[in-house]
Amino acid sequence: MPVHCNRLWPSRAEAVAAPRGAIRLGVCPGCGMIYNLAFDPARVEYTADYENSLHFSPRFQAYAEQLAERLIREHGLAGRRIVEIGCGKGEFLAILCRDGRNQGLGFDASYDGSVDEAVAGHVRIVREHFSEASVREPADLVCCRHVLEHVDRPAAFLAGVRDAARRAGSPRVFFEVPDG
């Protein structure tokens, strides 16, 4: 299978020659997470060519708007600091910042440099993978949507997020993963 299902190639020849990898599915009996036992992180490269946005879909956009509204309402996220891990192009972080008048910090190695003009002064995105040392300032929410299934060692990643959250003042932490 192609290593990246979301990468857009400039030509048919480059698409046909795209890096490939094996899929051997496994499931964790403890948490039910389905993952690829043959996953090779050395084959994966997240760049601006990686197109993972679903916000072109009116249904997905409506879902993202409703989710942001719910998080803002349930967690009092007005005038707060939000960190999003794996924020892609920053669309969801932009919604959280626009609707809650929040400040946002996003991390994504595939970020392409575009920020919604409505939140340009309120959202900063760092073009790198999140690490435990990434969060150096207090935060009120750390969110991570549709990222965990891309991580080679999810337990170690979650431990790093936990430790970063503790240093950030123990904010609310929100994870969302696709339903397999």
Side-chain angles (χ1 to χ4, degrees), residues 42-62:
R43 299 187 63 76
V44 179
E45 182 182 7
Y46 293 104
T47 67
D49 294 332
Y50 183 78
E51 176 54 70
N52 64 346
S53 178
L54 298 174
H55 287 264
F56 59 84
S57 160
R59 185 175 300 243
F60 187 85
Q61 182 65 27

Side-chain angles (χ1 to χ4, degrees), residues 10 24 65 75 111 117:
R24 203 173 83 235
E65 298 273 351
H75 301 294
Y111 177 61
E117 287 183 24

Side-chain angles (χ1 to χ4, degrees), residues 103-117:
Q103 293 292 317
L105 174 61
F107 295 91
D108 200 300
S110 73
Y111 177 61
D112 67 1
S114 62
V115 171
D116 182 343
E117 287 183 24

Side-chain angles (χ1 to χ4, degrees), residues 54-136:
L54 298 174
H55 287 264
F56 59 84
S57 160
R59 185 175 300 243
F60 187 85
Q61 182 65 27
Y63 167 74
E65 298 273 351
Q66 291 165 2
L67 176 60
E69 177 186 321
R70 189 185 97 215
L71 289 172
I72 291 167
R73 183 183 66 250
E74 290 179 4
H75 301 294
L77 299 174
R80 305 294 184 163
R81 291 188 43 83
I82 313 269
V83 172
E84 185 175 11
I85 300 167
C87 66
K89 296 184 182 339
E91 294 105 335
F92 186 69
L93 184 59
I95 296 168
L96 285 169
C97 291
R98 179 195 71 207
D99 293 357
R101 299 171 323 281
N102 296 303
Q103 293 292 317
L105 174 61
F107 295 91
D108 200 300
S110 73
Y111 177 61
D112 67 1
S114 62
V115 171
D116 182 343
E117 287 183 24
V119 294
H122 305 280
V123 173
R124 183 171 65 93
I125 300 177
V126 179
R127 191 179 287 160
E128 64 185 43
H129 291 289
F130 176 84
S131 72
E132 184 181 331
S134 296
V135 178
R136 296 176 185 90

Side-chain angles (χ1 to χ4, degrees), residues 24-37 154-155 158:
R24 203 173 83 235
L25 295 180
V27 64
C28 172
C31 70
M33 183 169 167
I34 298 169
Y35 57 97
N36 182 5
L37 294 164
L158 290 169

